[in-house]
Amino acid sequence: MSSLYNFKKIEPVPTAADFIDIILSKTQRKTPTVIRKNYNIGRIRQFYMRKVKYTQDSFEEKFKNILDEFPKLDDVHPFYADLMNVLYDKDHYKLALGQINTARHLIDQVAKDYVRLLKFGDSLYRCKQLKRAALGRMATIMKRQKDSLAYLEQVRQHLSRLPSIDPNTRTLLICGYPNVGKSSFINKITRADVDVQPYAFTTKSLFVGHMDYKYMRWQVIDTPGILDHPLEERNTIEMQSITAMAHLRSAIMYFMDLSEQCGYSIEDQVKLFHNIKPLFANKPIVLVINKIDQVRPEDLPAEQRALIEEIMNQDNATVLTMSCYNEEGVMDVRNSACDKLLAARVEMKMSGNKINDVINKIHLATPTARDGIARLPNIPDGALSKTKYDPNDPNRPKLEKDLEVEAGGAGVYSVDVKKKYLLGDEDWKYDTIPELWEGHNVADFIDPEIEEKLEALEREEERLEKEGFYDNNEPIMDEEEEELRNTADAIRERKKLIVQAHRTARGSKTAIVPKKVLAKNATVDEMNDHLSKMGIDANAAVERTRASAVGRKRTRAEAIPDEAVKDADAAVRDEVVTREMSNLGFRNVKQKKEADKQKKLNQVQNNKMGKRGEADRNIQTKMPKHLFSGKTSMGSRDRR
């Protein structure tokens, strides 16, 4: 159910300081910011006039939003007008909105005056000072609205927390003394979740729940408890209940606690009912006796029963009993209150002036008699029975249920789904394979001796099994299958040879051990064996190695390196380097060095692009003067 009044959409009201910052920042962002001394004086005047006008328009827009969104007490429903008067004080509320409206007119006047002066500015300095004076006076006017803006923000926050109450819809209003079971009742019949505690004044504001009854949506309002004292002595919590009872067209449900566990006697509760009875005028009244699990009306003394009967007789109130504890009679109370309210609303509409206009537009068409023949209503036989056909009627058609009973009942009878087939020949319905193709039944073209042939094959299989024909586990292959398998084996063998040859041509896939590691772990004998396998005489090199191990000084002749060993080392080194380059995808070392050089050159440009550029966000003025400069106290005047 959507309410006519939704105060949650009101925008927040900024403080006076935030208001000024928002407007001046917007002016700085949305208007030109660069002006030169050598500009034409007309251009300079237009520059500063535009700033003053834009600031005035921004203030005007903000003020207009505030004045339009906040509800006007003269335009809203009287219920909301009185409720806001109770909660926020009508005079204070109107005064705050009036202050905002006055500030809007003052700022408009300041802008007009200074724009008129700017038209006659004779220099850049004069125009700039006029602009500063205009914005300064606007800011001063805003600072004076500090209290009004703070008050309106508090009002907005409280308004957004108010429940959305539709004053014109079907409403049940629950009222009575504190702690008589009002919140427990609304929790039972609606989707609301109101706090329930065993002490008075747990409910301090209006709560709304919604329910469905007779395919219509109803709202149920739980009001705070009220006490029996004069109107001028009631506090804000009680006045919310009084306001709801006075202005909402609803069914009044007055709750009473006969057990007096609420802390108030039956006489006090009856007295309160008579005290607020003028608020119930022209509204259906339901007197709800709660907590009957403790005390029932028939258990009361005669004097107290007489008080309740007096309310029932004099005030035309309906007395209902229930207990929220064991939920006895809760739904009956709800339904009775809803029915009584519906009857009252219909009666009110019928007694109004608009009903005549509606009735005049309604026309009931009645057919005229065509002839003098009496056409009485005809009810077929069995139409009034529980089943479609009367079972005693001998002419009624036989149903599938009758066939089931005749065949033995459920679980024995099987429904014949083929009996209603519409085919060209009735004999086709129960064919073994009832499938048609090109107008012919497929079953008509099946070999009629197929079953005899199948039985002959099965007998032959049984004979072969008995003779042991299938006892041999060797696979039975014919010549074609055997040839196919041999060809596949030859292809697989050929593939293996190709893969091995390819791997041999590419070289070993194992990691190449560096020469330093080999030299550290290798022995002299291993080196001698390795060089011997390569066809190189390494005796001289072995002798020198062993001689140097015992510390003997070499002669000049021995110091001359063996050419064969040098050639062997160079050949091994070249082989290792060539293999490593081949694994990396290079032909030689020179090509690898050139690739490394090109890689470094390409990375230079990427490193440059990683630095700050003209497309990066750049805030030229990190501390705008209009936000950070003002009256200085002791200390530096450097605003930066």
Side-chain angles (χ1 to χ4, degrees):
M1 177 173 19
S2 60
S3 177
L4 297 174
Y5 305 101
N6 187 5
F7 301 130
K8 295 178 176 61
K9 295 182 179 180
I10 302 177
E11 293 183 0
V13 180
T15 62
D18 293 341
F19 214 116
I20 296 172
D21 291 345
I22 291 169
I23 299 301
L24 294 184
S25 297
K26 186 177 180 182
T27 303
Q28 187 73 3
R29 286 184 288 109
K30 298 292 187 179
T31 57
T33 56
V34 179
I35 190 71
R36 307 294 183 191
K37 291 188 297 184
N38 56 356
Y39 284 175
N40 186 4
I41 188 61
R43 183 177 178 182
I44 296 174
R45 290 170 184 164
Q46 289 294 330
F47 177 86
Y48 288 111
M49 285 166 60
R50 181 176 178 185
K51 282 189 175 293
V52 174
K53 288 181 180 179
Y54 191 87
T55 307
Q56 179 242 331
D57 291 340
S58 300
F59 275 114
E60 173 75 17
E61 180 183 359
K62 286 294 234 181
F63 286 142
K64 189 173 183 302
N65 287 340
I66 293 174
L67 294 173
D68 290 345
E69 290 181 349
F70 275 88
K72 296 178 177 58
L73 298 184
D74 297 334
D75 297 340
V76 298
H77 193 274
F79 163 69
Y80 274 112
D82 279 5
L83 185 63
M84 293 179 66
N85 183 26
V86 169
L87 296 173
Y88 318 122
D89 187 3
K90 176 173 62 176
D91 297 334
H92 194 175
Y93 178 77
K94 286 187 174 180
L95 185 61
L97 290 179
Q99 291 281 359
I100 298 299
N101 194 28
T102 303
R104 180 177 69 166
H105 292 308
L106 289 176
I107 288 178
D108 291 349
Q109 191 60 41
V110 168
K112 289 179 183 178
D113 293 342
Y114 277 88
V115 167
R116 191 179 301 115
L117 293 174
L118 278 168
K119 290 181 180 178
F120 301 99
D122 55 357
S123 66
L124 174 63
Y125 177 77
R126 183 74 59 100
C127 293
K128 183 177 181 181
Q129 294 304 105
L130 288 173
K131 186 266 297 184
R132 288 186 59 189
L135 269 57
R137 287 190 61 184
M138 294 180 188
T140 303
I141 293 171
M142 278 307 307
K143 289 177 182 178
R144 293 174 185 165
Q145 310 307 317
K146 179 179 67 173
D147 296 335
S148 297
L149 293 173
Y151 169 77
L152 288 176
E153 173 60 16
Q154 293 296 323
V155 170
R156 183 200 68 82
Q157 292 180 8
H158 197 276
L159 275 174
S160 66
R161 292 192 289 267
L162 285 180
S164 296
I165 299 174
D166 189 351
N168 301 315
T169 190
R170 296 164 292 277
T171 306
L172 301 181
L173 188 66
I174 306 172
C175 61
Y177 261 100
N179 208 24
V180 295
K182 302 186 296 297
S183 300
S184 300
F185 178 69
I186 191 175
N187 288 343
K188 295 289 184 184
I189 67 172
T190 68
R191 293 180 287 273
D193 186 14
V194 185
D195 188 21
V196 177
Q197 298 294 341
Y199 49 81
F201 287 107
T202 305
T203 305
K204 297 182 180 180
S205 61
L206 299 176
F207 284 90
V208 179
H210 296 89
M211 66 176 187
D212 293 324
Y213 178 69
K214 289 188 176 180
Y215 304 102
M216 291 182 290
R217 182 62 58 88
W218 298 68
Q219 71 178 2
V220 184
I221 300 178
D222 179 22
T223 63
I226 52 180
L227 303 177
D228 185 18
H229 47 225
L231 185 64
E232 58 272 8
E233 297 180 8
R234 300 189 189 277
N235 56 21
T236 304
I237 297 176
E238 295 176 279
M239 286 304 297
Q240 295 181 55
S241 301
I242 299 297
T243 303
M245 286 186 283
H247 293 289
L248 293 179
R249 296 169 53 191
S250 60
I252 303 296
M253 302 181 69
Y254 185 81
F255 273 59
M256 289 185 63
D257 179 12
L258 301 184
S259 66
E260 300 183 357
Q261 293 179 351
C262 61
Y264 304 97
S265 64
I266 297 177
E267 290 78 7
D268 292 340
Q269 298 180 51
V270 173
K271 188 177 178 181
L272 175 63
F273 178 84
H274 291 296
N275 189 4
I276 61 176
K277 185 168 60 175
L279 300 174
F280 303 160
N282 301 323
K283 298 175 185 175
I285 304 172
V286 178
L287 182 63
V288 181
I289 307 298
N290 195 12
K291 303 182 183 179
I292 60 173
D293 56 311
Q294 300 294 327
V295 177
R296 291 181 177 272
E298 52 268 19
D299 300 335
L300 296 176
E303 299 83 8
Q304 294 179 346
R305 276 205 311 270
L307 294 175
I308 298 176
E309 291 174 358
E310 180 184 356
I311 294 175
M312 183 171 56
N313 297 329
Q314 292 183 1
D315 303 309
N316 194 22
T318 304
V319 179
L320 301 172
T321 59
M322 72 168 193
S323 172
C324 291
Y325 180 73
N326 54 21
E327 299 186 6
E328 179 184 352
V330 172
M331 290 297 111
D332 294 337
V333 170
R334 184 202 72 169
N335 297 343
S336 300
C338 292
D339 293 338
K340 194 165 185 179
L341 178 61
L342 280 179
R345 287 170 66 93
V346 172
E347 183 181 353
M348 184 181 298
K349 291 179 180 178
M350 293 296 293
S351 61
N353 296 328
K354 294 183 179 179
I355 192 63
N356 294 327
D357 298 336
V358 176
I359 292 177
N360 292 335
K361 295 178 182 178
I362 297 175
H363 174 68
L364 181 61
T366 57
T368 58
R370 183 174 54 189
D371 47 33
I373 301 175
R375 294 178 174 85
L376 300 177
N378 181 25
I379 302 176
D381 295 336
L384 300 179
S385 62
K386 293 183 179 179
T387 59
K388 185 176 181 181
Y389 300 102
D390 188 3
N392 299 324
D393 184 7
N395 298 324
R396 74 181 183 92
K398 184 173 288 190
L399 304 178
E400 199 73 27
K401 188 173 183 180
D402 300 332
L403 297 176
E404 179 183 356
V405 173
E406 293 174 0
V412 179
Y413 173 70
S414 180
V415 180
D416 186 4
V417 296
K418 298 182 179 181
K419 64 182 179 181
K420 293 185 179 180
Y421 283 181
L422 301 178
L423 301 177
D425 189 352
E426 289 295 326
D427 297 337
W428 293 352
K429 288 183 180 181
Y430 300 100
D431 284 348
T432 306
I433 305 176
E435 293 188 6
L436 302 180
W437 181 65
E438 294 184 357
H440 301 283
N441 195 337
V442 177
D444 296 339
F445 299 91
I446 295 177
D447 188 357
E449 300 178 356
I450 187 68
E451 294 183 359
E452 290 79 2
K453 294 179 180 179
L454 180 61
E455 291 178 358
L457 284 175
E458 290 177 351
R459 289 195 298 271
E460 184 179 358
E461 286 292 323
E462 292 175 358
R463 181 180 59 79
L464 292 175
E465 287 181 359
K466 291 179 181 179
E467 293 177 357
F469 182 76
Y470 297 114
D471 294 342
N472 187 8
N473 295 327
E474 294 182 1
I476 302 174
M477 292 189 298
D478 54 3
E479 295 180 357
E480 184 179 356
E481 184 178 359
E482 186 175 3
E483 183 181 358
L484 187 63
R485 287 180 179 271
N486 294 335
T487 305
D489 293 340
I491 292 173
R492 292 192 190 99
E493 191 65 27
R494 179 60 180 165
K495 272 188 174 182
K496 288 181 182 179
L497 296 175
I498 293 173
V499 171
Q500 290 177 1
H502 182 65
R503 289 177 179 174
T504 304
R506 289 182 58 190
S508 176
K509 289 287 184 180
T510 58
I512 298 173
V513 183
K515 290 177 63 177
K516 290 183 179 180
V517 178
L518 288 174
K520 186 182 294 184
N521 298 326
T523 62
V524 176
D525 294 335
E526 290 177 354
M527 184 186 69
N528 189 14
D529 295 340
H530 180 66
L531 293 177
S532 299
K533 291 178 181 179
M534 297 175 63
I536 300 172
D537 186 10
N539 292 328
V542 170
E543 292 297 332
R544 283 198 307 273
T545 304
R546 288 176 176 169
S548 62
V550 297
R552 183 179 63 83
K553 291 185 68 176
R554 291 179 296 173
T555 63
R556 183 179 295 274
E558 292 175 341
I560 299 173
D562 193 350
E563 297 297 332
V565 174
K566 288 177 63 179
D567 295 341
D569 292 342
V572 172
R573 185 170 60 253
D574 292 343
E575 182 183 358
V576 171
V577 172
T578 303
R579 189 180 303 165
E580 183 178 357
M581 292 300 105
S582 176
N583 290 338
L584 294 176
F586 302 111
R587 290 194 298 271
N588 49 39
V589 178
K590 182 178 179 182
Q591 190 179 31
K592 184 177 183 303
K593 289 183 178 180
E594 183 63 24
D596 292 341
K597 181 179 178 182
Q598 292 296 329
K599 180 179 72 172
K600 291 181 179 180
L601 289 176
N602 290 332
Q603 288 177 349
V604 171
Q605 189 66 19
N606 294 334
N607 293 336
K608 287 182 179 179
M609 295 302 292
K611 298 179 181 178
R612 187 183 185 88
E614 61 181 8
D616 295 321
R617 178 177 173 84
N618 185 22
I619 303 175
Q620 297 291 345
T621 307
K622 290 186 172 57
M623 298 177 66
K625 183 174 181 180
H626 67 277
L627 292 180
F628 295 94
S629 64
K631 295 181 180 179
T632 58
S633 58
M634 294 298 293
S636 173
R637 286 178 170 78
D638 186 6
R639 64 186 176 85
R640 302 295 182 187

mmCIF file of all heavy atoms in Angstrom, residues 421-438:
data_model
loop_
_atom_site.group_PDB
_atom_site.id
_atom_site.type_symbol
_atom_site.label_atom_id
_atom_site.label_comp_id
_atom_site.label_asym_id
_atom_site.label_seq_id
_atom_site.Cartn_x
_atom_site.Cartn_y
_atom_site.Cartn_z
ATOM 1 N N TYR A 421 -8.126 -44.772 -30.557
ATOM 2 C CA TYR A 421 -7.305 -44.419 -31.714
ATOM 3 C C TYR A 421 -8.209 -44.228 -32.932
ATOM 4 O O TYR A 421 -9.146 -45.014 -33.161
ATOM 5 C CB TYR A 421 -6.289 -45.513 -32.021
ATOM 6 C CG TYR A 421 -5.093 -45.529 -31.089
ATOM 7 C CD1 TYR A 421 -4.075 -46.471 -31.259
ATOM 8 C CD2 TYR A 421 -4.958 -44.604 -30.065
ATOM 9 C CE1 TYR A 421 -2.973 -46.503 -30.423
ATOM 10 C CE2 TYR A 421 -3.872 -44.622 -29.221
ATOM 11 C CZ TYR A 421 -2.887 -45.567 -29.391
ATOM 12 O OH TYR A 421 -1.814 -45.579 -28.570
ATOM 13 N N LEU A 422 -7.926 -43.202 -33.728
ATOM 14 C CA LEU A 422 -8.691 -42.938 -34.956
ATOM 15 C C LEU A 422 -7.828 -43.354 -36.136
ATOM 16 O O LEU A 422 -6.985 -42.597 -36.616
ATOM 17 C CB LEU A 422 -9.071 -41.447 -35.025
ATOM 18 C CG LEU A 422 -9.922 -40.918 -33.862
ATOM 19 C CD1 LEU A 422 -10.182 -39.418 -34.020
ATOM 20 C CD2 LEU A 422 -11.250 -41.669 -33.790
ATOM 21 N N LEU A 423 -8.026 -44.573 -36.611
ATOM 22 C CA LEU A 423 -7.252 -45.108 -37.735
ATOM 23 C C LEU A 423 -8.191 -45.461 -38.885
ATOM 24 O O LEU A 423 -9.417 -45.561 -38.723
ATOM 25 C CB LEU A 423 -6.468 -46.343 -37.291
ATOM 26 C CG LEU A 423 -5.471 -46.118 -36.139
ATOM 27 C CD1 LEU A 423 -4.821 -47.439 -35.745
ATOM 28 C CD2 LEU A 423 -4.413 -45.114 -36.526
ATOM 29 N N GLY A 424 -7.591 -45.675 -40.052
ATOM 30 C CA GLY A 424 -8.395 -46.001 -41.209
ATOM 31 C C GLY A 424 -9.099 -47.347 -41.088
ATOM 32 O O GLY A 424 -10.176 -47.553 -41.650
ATOM 33 N N ASP A 425 -8.521 -48.284 -40.385
ATOM 34 C CA ASP A 425 -9.091 -49.611 -40.185
ATOM 35 C C ASP A 425 -9.088 -49.900 -38.688
ATOM 36 O O ASP A 425 -8.061 -49.718 -38.014
ATOM 37 C CB ASP A 425 -8.268 -50.659 -40.942
ATOM 38 C CG ASP A 425 -8.958 -52.036 -40.934
ATOM 39 O OD1 ASP A 425 -9.973 -52.165 -40.215
ATOM 40 O OD2 ASP A 425 -8.460 -52.938 -41.620
ATOM 41 N N GLU A 426 -10.214 -50.365 -38.152
ATOM 42 C CA GLU A 426 -10.300 -50.614 -36.718
ATOM 43 C C GLU A 426 -9.363 -51.751 -36.304
ATOM 44 O O GLU A 426 -8.935 -51.815 -35.150
ATOM 45 C CB GLU A 426 -11.747 -50.964 -36.347
ATOM 46 C CG GLU A 426 -12.715 -49.795 -36.427
ATOM 47 C CD GLU A 426 -12.398 -48.709 -35.418
ATOM 48 O OE1 GLU A 426 -11.940 -49.036 -34.308
ATOM 49 O OE2 GLU A 426 -12.582 -47.529 -35.752
ATOM 50 N N ASP A 427 -9.001 -52.659 -37.231
ATOM 51 C CA ASP A 427 -8.122 -53.761 -36.883
ATOM 52 C C ASP A 427 -6.688 -53.309 -36.643
ATOM 53 O O ASP A 427 -5.882 -54.062 -36.091
ATOM 54 C CB ASP A 427 -8.148 -54.820 -37.994
ATOM 55 C CG ASP A 427 -9.543 -55.429 -38.153
ATOM 56 O OD1 ASP A 427 -10.302 -55.360 -37.154
ATOM 57 O OD2 ASP A 427 -9.855 -55.929 -39.241
ATOM 58 N N TRP A 428 -6.367 -52.127 -37.099
ATOM 59 C CA TRP A 428 -4.993 -51.645 -36.933
ATOM 60 C C TRP A 428 -4.690 -51.214 -35.495
ATOM 61 O O TRP A 428 -3.530 -51.024 -35.137
ATOM 62 C CB TRP A 428 -4.752 -50.448 -37.857
ATOM 63 C CG TRP A 428 -4.768 -50.804 -39.314
ATOM 64 C CD1 TRP A 428 -4.812 -52.054 -39.846
ATOM 65 C CD2 TRP A 428 -4.732 -49.893 -40.400
ATOM 66 N NE1 TRP A 428 -4.808 -51.997 -41.208
ATOM 67 C CE2 TRP A 428 -4.755 -50.656 -41.588
ATOM 68 C CE3 TRP A 428 -4.682 -48.503 -40.531
ATOM 69 C CZ2 TRP A 428 -4.734 -50.091 -42.837
ATOM 70 C CZ3 TRP A 428 -4.639 -47.935 -41.769
ATOM 71 C CH2 TRP A 428 -4.678 -48.715 -42.928
ATOM 72 N N LYS A 429 -5.716 -51.006 -34.678
ATOM 73 C CA LYS A 429 -5.492 -50.454 -33.334
ATOM 74 C C LYS A 429 -4.583 -51.344 -32.499
ATOM 75 O O LYS A 429 -3.742 -50.854 -31.743
ATOM 76 C CB LYS A 429 -6.831 -50.285 -32.609
ATOM 77 C CG LYS A 429 -7.690 -49.150 -33.138
ATOM 78 C CD LYS A 429 -8.953 -49.023 -32.297
ATOM 79 C CE LYS A 429 -9.835 -47.884 -32.800
ATOM 80 N NZ LYS A 429 -11.056 -47.739 -31.981
ATOM 81 N N TYR A 430 -4.757 -52.655 -32.616
ATOM 82 C CA TYR A 430 -4.046 -53.563 -31.721
ATOM 83 C C TYR A 430 -2.952 -54.325 -32.440
ATOM 84 O O TYR A 430 -2.641 -55.466 -32.075
ATOM 85 C CB TYR A 430 -5.058 -54.533 -31.090
ATOM 86 C CG TYR A 430 -6.110 -53.817 -30.285
ATOM 87 C CD1 TYR A 430 -7.372 -53.574 -30.824
ATOM 88 C CD2 TYR A 430 -5.839 -53.359 -29.006
ATOM 89 C CE1 TYR A 430 -8.341 -52.892 -30.087
ATOM 90 C CE2 TYR A 430 -6.803 -52.684 -28.270
ATOM 91 C CZ TYR A 430 -8.042 -52.452 -28.813
ATOM 92 O OH TYR A 430 -8.989 -51.777 -28.090
ATOM 93 N N ASP A 431 -2.395 -53.764 -33.512
ATOM 94 C CA ASP A 431 -1.252 -54.375 -34.158
ATOM 95 C C ASP A 431 -0.061 -54.400 -33.207
ATOM 96 O O ASP A 431 0.056 -53.585 -32.298
ATOM 97 C CB ASP A 431 -0.881 -53.610 -35.426
ATOM 98 C CG ASP A 431 -1.865 -53.915 -36.563
ATOM 99 O OD1 ASP A 431 -2.652 -54.869 -36.394
ATOM 100 O OD2 ASP A 431 -1.859 -53.203 -37.574
ATOM 101 N N THR A 432 0.857 -55.349 -33.471
ATOM 102 C CA THR A 432 2.023 -55.484 -32.589
ATOM 103 C C THR A 432 2.879 -54.222 -32.613
ATOM 104 O O THR A 432 3.353 -53.744 -31.587
ATOM 105 C CB THR A 432 2.857 -56.693 -33.026
ATOM 106 O OG1 THR A 432 2.015 -57.846 -33.075
ATOM 107 C CG2 THR A 432 3.996 -56.936 -32.043
ATOM 108 N N ILE A 433 3.094 -53.695 -33.805
ATOM 109 C CA ILE A 433 3.853 -52.448 -33.935
ATOM 110 C C ILE A 433 2.947 -51.450 -34.655
ATOM 111 O O ILE A 433 2.955 -51.379 -35.889
ATOM 112 C CB ILE A 433 5.157 -52.661 -34.728
ATOM 113 C CG1 ILE A 433 5.985 -53.771 -34.095
ATOM 114 C CG2 ILE A 433 5.966 -51.371 -34.771
ATOM 115 C CD1 ILE A 433 7.244 -54.104 -34.868
ATOM 116 N N PRO A 434 2.155 -50.718 -33.979
ATOM 117 C CA PRO A 434 1.192 -49.821 -34.638
ATOM 118 C C PRO A 434 1.861 -48.532 -35.107
ATOM 119 O O PRO A 434 1.623 -47.463 -34.567
ATOM 120 C CB PRO A 434 0.173 -49.559 -33.539
ATOM 121 C CG PRO A 434 0.944 -49.676 -32.283
ATOM 122 C CD PRO A 434 2.012 -50.706 -32.514
ATOM 123 N N GLU A 435 2.740 -48.664 -36.128
ATOM 124 C CA GLU A 435 3.388 -47.495 -36.697
ATOM 125 C C GLU A 435 3.106 -47.457 -38.189
ATOM 126 O O GLU A 435 3.170 -48.496 -38.872
ATOM 127 C CB GLU A 435 4.892 -47.535 -36.439
ATOM 128 C CG GLU A 435 5.243 -47.390 -34.962
ATOM 129 C CD GLU A 435 6.735 -47.240 -34.773
ATOM 130 O OE1 GLU A 435 7.431 -47.140 -35.802
ATOM 131 O OE2 GLU A 435 7.192 -47.253 -33.612
ATOM 132 N N LEU A 436 2.813 -46.283 -38.679
ATOM 133 C CA LEU A 436 2.461 -46.109 -40.088
ATOM 134 C C LEU A 436 3.556 -45.332 -40.792
ATOM 135 O O LEU A 436 4.163 -44.417 -40.225
ATOM 136 C CB LEU A 436 1.126 -45.376 -40.212
ATOM 137 C CG LEU A 436 -0.081 -46.044 -39.519
ATOM 138 C CD1 LEU A 436 -1.319 -45.206 -39.718
ATOM 139 C CD2 LEU A 436 -0.305 -47.444 -40.070
ATOM 140 N N TRP A 437 3.793 -45.712 -42.043
ATOM 141 C CA TRP A 437 4.769 -45.009 -42.863
ATOM 142 C C TRP A 437 4.242 -44.969 -44.293
ATOM 143 O O TRP A 437 3.969 -46.015 -44.891
ATOM 144 C CB TRP A 437 6.120 -45.727 -42.797
ATOM 145 C CG TRP A 437 7.190 -45.036 -43.596
ATOM 146 C CD1 TRP A 437 7.710 -43.813 -43.359
ATOM 147 C CD2 TRP A 437 7.846 -45.541 -44.755
ATOM 148 N NE1 TRP A 437 8.667 -43.504 -44.280
ATOM 149 C CE2 TRP A 437 8.775 -44.553 -45.160
ATOM 150 C CE3 TRP A 437 7.747 -46.732 -45.496
ATOM 151 C CZ2 TRP A 437 9.585 -44.713 -46.265
ATOM 152 C CZ3 TRP A 437 8.571 -46.885 -46.593
ATOM 153 C CH2 TRP A 437 9.477 -45.879 -46.975
ATOM 154 N N GLU A 438 4.054 -43.728 -44.792
ATOM 155 C CA GLU A 438 3.516 -43.506 -46.134
ATOM 156 C C GLU A 438 2.166 -44.206 -46.311
ATOM 157 O O GLU A 438 1.876 -44.806 -47.351
ATOM 158 C CB GLU A 438 4.499 -43.990 -47.210
ATOM 159 C CG GLU A 438 5.785 -43.174 -47.254
ATOM 160 C CD GLU A 438 6.682 -43.621 -48.398
ATOM 161 O OE1 GLU A 438 6.306 -44.602 -49.090
ATOM 162 O OE2 GLU A 438 7.731 -42.970 -48.603
#
